[in-house]
């Protein structure tokens, strides 16, 4: 429901266009018909098994201690509530109707014809969320958003728009997951982020998919003068494939972007991840930091920083640990300086745990196993404000399982 026939026509021309990166998928193999789930104002329709599973994606199924909540299961909006002044949360289809197609925002940062996945999201949109912090609003508690696949073999198409108006502060925790009984499916997610002058947006995305789920997020960010955008991405559980390469443009003086990712590639998993930042105004800063572990899967870690004007600073860091004989990590760090006066650097390292690090800790009283576990634990340490304790506990359990690969 874009309200624009031109968008539909443009998307239709790209319905078979392969993506630049990642495994190509036959979209016809996934279901588009799913059950209509009823709106659930009190989260009464979720059993104990579902609740425990959702907690592992950071979703608590409560409106307590959240500035707002949003939950979409397959194509249905099951919960949407705003609990704090200065915050607006709507299903994207409602926002398109309310704001006359969101012409200044909808498909303005991501190209509708970028590939078959963006095209499919427009041609057969299920829903998604519209979240806006009003000018000057300091949203003190995180917003909880959940995109949930509840039907076996289903394809979920969503489009999200997040706007941090001038001077506002906002933290969103998005949990993306499947029903405990679902093993296969597809998630297509278009996300466009607008960080206005002096605004601060933190976006934490936790993926807790199933072993045969394919995921194709398409995200873009624009940051105006003095704005700050911080992205945290966590995927520690098995998934069939993920391909995402969010792109940020820093267009105002003093704008900042930081992209952090912590990922584990399990056997049978293919992760093609990264981040790209264009520094287009003086005194802008960017960091793209990736921490990657493989216990037998394939992980491609991309990063690209583009300095287009003088007086910019940026750093790219890709570090990986291979904890299984056949695990693969492929780091692709890129720097592009287009003028004199840019200051950009990158660091990339892939390998097993260094023996000298183990010996250093053993000399201080640890056993070899304790030393190796300590190093992995520090490598994957996730300190992100606002995560539910149940998710923190699950991250701890995942780290313990990862240590067994040593």
């Amino acid at each position: 429901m874009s309200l624009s026939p031109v968008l539909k026509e443009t998307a239709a021309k790209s319905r078979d266009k392969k993506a630049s990166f990642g495994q190509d998928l036959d979209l016809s193999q996934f279901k588009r018909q799913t059950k209509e789930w009823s709106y659930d104002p009190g989260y009464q329709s979720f059993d104990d098994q579902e609740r425990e599973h959702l907690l592992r994606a950071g979703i608590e199924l409560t409106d307590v201690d959240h500035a707002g909540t949003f939950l979409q299961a397959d194509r249905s909006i099951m919960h949407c509530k705003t609990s704090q002044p200065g915050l607006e949360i709507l299903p994207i289809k409602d926002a398109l109707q309310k704001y006359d197609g969101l012409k200044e925002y909808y498909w303005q940062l991501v190209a509708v014809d970028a590939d078959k996945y963006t095209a499919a999201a427009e041609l057969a949109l299920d829903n998604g969320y519209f979240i806006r912090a009003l000018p000057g609003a300091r949203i003190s508690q995180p917003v909880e958003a959940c995109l949930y696949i509840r039907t076996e073999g289903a394809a979920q198409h969503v489009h999200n728009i997040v706007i941090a108006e001038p001077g506002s502060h906002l933290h969103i925790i998005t949990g993306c997951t499947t029903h405990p009984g679902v093993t296969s499916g597809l998630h297509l997610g278009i996300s466009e982020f607008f960080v206005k002058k002096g605004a601060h947006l933190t976006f934490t995305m936790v993926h807790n998919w199933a072993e045969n789920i394919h995921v194709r997020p398409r995200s873009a960010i624009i940051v105006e003068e003095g704005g700050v955008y911080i992205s945290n991405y966590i995927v520690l559980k098995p998934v069939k494939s993920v391909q995402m390469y969010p792109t940020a443009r820093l267009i105002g003086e003093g704008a900042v972007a930081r992209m952090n990712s912590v990922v584990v590639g399990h056997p049978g998993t293919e992760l093609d991840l990264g981040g790209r930042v264009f520094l287009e105004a003086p005194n802008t800063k960017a960091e793209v930091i990736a921490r990657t572990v493989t216990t037998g899967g394939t992980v491609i870690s991309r990063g690209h920083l583009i300095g287009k004007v003088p007086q910019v600073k940026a750093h790219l860091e890709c570090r990986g640990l291979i904890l299984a004989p056949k695990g693969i990590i492929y780091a692709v760090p890129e720097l592009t300086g287009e003028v004199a006066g840019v200051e950009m650097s990158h660091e990339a390292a892939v390998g097993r745990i260094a023996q000298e690090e183990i010996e250093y800790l053993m000399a201080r009283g640890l056993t070899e196993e304790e030393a190796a576990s300590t190093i992995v634990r520090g490598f994957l340490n996730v300190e992100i404000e606002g995560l539910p304790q149940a998710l923190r506990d699950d991250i701890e359990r995942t780290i313990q399982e990862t240590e067994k690969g040593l």
Side-chain angles (χ1 to χ4, degrees):
M1 189 182 299
S2 67
L3 309 182
S4 170
V6 175
L7 280 173
K8 296 289 187 187
E9 293 170 6
T10 304
K13 295 176 182 178
S14 299
R15 65 171 71 246
D16 298 318
K17 183 179 178 181
K18 294 183 178 180
S20 301
F21 306 113
Q23 176 186 353
D24 187 48
L25 302 177
D26 180 358
L27 302 187
S28 68
Q29 299 301 306
F30 303 94
K31 296 178 185 177
R32 290 296 298 135
Q33 295 299 318
T34 62
K35 180 179 178 179
E36 293 293 327
W37 305 104
S38 299
Y39 192 84
D40 187 356
Y43 303 103
Q44 299 300 309
S45 61
F46 297 88
D47 60 31
D48 290 343
Q49 187 182 20
E50 278 189 283
R51 289 175 179 275
E52 181 180 353
H53 195 73
L54 285 161
L55 274 173
R56 294 175 181 175
I59 302 304
E60 297 177 293
L61 294 184
T62 175
D63 296 325
V64 178
D65 296 328
H66 300 133
T69 49
F70 176 91
L71 192 154
Q72 177 178 331
D74 298 331
R75 308 173 68 177
S76 305
I77 305 302
M78 294 189 68
H79 197 89
C80 183
K81 182 177 181 179
T82 302
S83 304
Q84 185 170 324
L87 177 68
E88 183 178 17
I89 304 175
L90 292 169
I92 192 67
K93 286 187 175 181
D94 291 358
L96 287 169
Q97 291 284 0
K98 180 177 180 179
Y99 293 113
D100 190 25
L102 289 168
K103 296 182 179 66
E104 296 180 17
Y105 303 101
Y106 193 69
W107 290 116
Q108 293 304 300
L109 303 184
V110 176
V112 70
D113 58 352
D115 54 38
K116 64 169 67 176
Y117 310 112
T118 57
E122 173 59 21
L123 293 171
L125 176 66
D126 293 331
N127 223 311
Y129 54 74
F130 172 83
I131 300 176
R132 182 167 74 112
L134 301 185
R138 301 292 177 111
I139 310 302
S140 58
Q141 297 173 318
V143 173
E144 180 179 275
C146 178
L147 300 169
Y148 188 35
I149 296 179
R150 216 178 189 189
T151 301
E152 175 66 25
Q156 184 183 57
H157 300 177
V158 302
H159 195 133
N160 308 312
I161 291 179
V162 176
I163 305 170
E165 297 284 8
S168 63
H169 280 224
L170 177 63
H171 183 188
I172 300 171
I173 299 177
T174 291
C176 299
T177 189
T178 56
H179 185 278
V182 170
T183 61
S184 65
L186 170 68
H187 173 81
L188 306 182
I190 313 303
S191 297
E192 299 179 285
F193 300 89
F194 299 83
V195 183
K196 302 293 186 70
K197 182 177 180 180
H200 190 292
L201 172 62
T202 300
F203 184 74
T204 298
M205 181 164 54
V206 183
H207 277 181
N208 182 29
W209 299 110
E211 293 185 0
N212 289 308
I213 298 289
H214 296 275
V215 189
R216 296 294 183 271
R218 299 291 183 260
S219 303
I221 309 98
I222 195 161
V223 188
E224 296 181 3
E225 179 183 349
V228 176
Y229 172 77
I230 299 174
S231 167
N232 302 303
Y233 176 61
I234 305 169
V235 55
L236 304 178
K237 299 300 179 67
V239 60
K240 192 62 176 178
S241 74
V242 181
Q243 195 286 310
M244 56 184 288
Y245 195 32
T247 297
R249 292 179 55 213
L250 308 182
I251 64 169
E253 183 167 2
V256 174
R258 298 188 179 96
M259 298 183 182
N260 309 303
S261 61
V262 180
V263 305
V264 176
H266 296 266
T269 291
E270 181 179 310
L271 304 175
D272 191 327
L273 311 171
R276 175 170 52 191
V277 183
F278 290 86
L279 296 97
E280 302 180 21
N283 301 311
T284 51
K285 297 179 181 179
E287 289 182 346
V288 178
I289 308 295
R291 292 286 185 271
T292 301
V293 168
T294 176
T295 60
T298 297
V299 183
I300 302 171
S301 182
R302 305 179 189 274
H304 192 186
L305 302 173
I306 303 97
K308 300 184 74 68
V309 299
Q311 301 177 44
V312 301
K313 294 183 178 182
H315 180 66
L316 175 64
E317 187 174 315
C318 304
R319 292 185 177 273
L321 286 178
I322 300 175
L323 302 182
K326 295 186 178 180
I328 296 173
I329 297 177
Y330 178 39
V332 191
E334 296 182 85
L335 302 178
T336 302
E338 298 186 0
V339 295
V342 300
E343 184 179 330
M344 298 189 297
S345 60
H346 77 72
E347 225 180 308
V350 175
R352 291 185 65 84
I353 296 173
Q355 185 63 31
E356 58 268 23
E357 293 182 14
I358 292 178
E359 292 173 352
Y360 176 85
L361 292 175
M362 289 176 67
R364 280 151 179 79
L366 298 184
T367 66
E368 183 174 7
E369 181 179 348
E370 290 171 340
S373 296
T374 298
I375 293 167
V376 173
R377 189 174 301 277
F379 188 82
L380 288 177
N381 185 42
V382 181
E383 286 298 332
I384 297 170
E385 181 182 352
L387 292 186
Q389 187 58 47
L391 176 57
R392 293 182 182 274
D393 293 341
D394 193 56
I395 290 171
E396 174 69 18
R397 285 191 294 269
T398 301
I399 292 174
Q400 292 173 358
E401 289 297 315
T402 301
E403 291 168 2
K404 294 178 182 179
L406 295 169

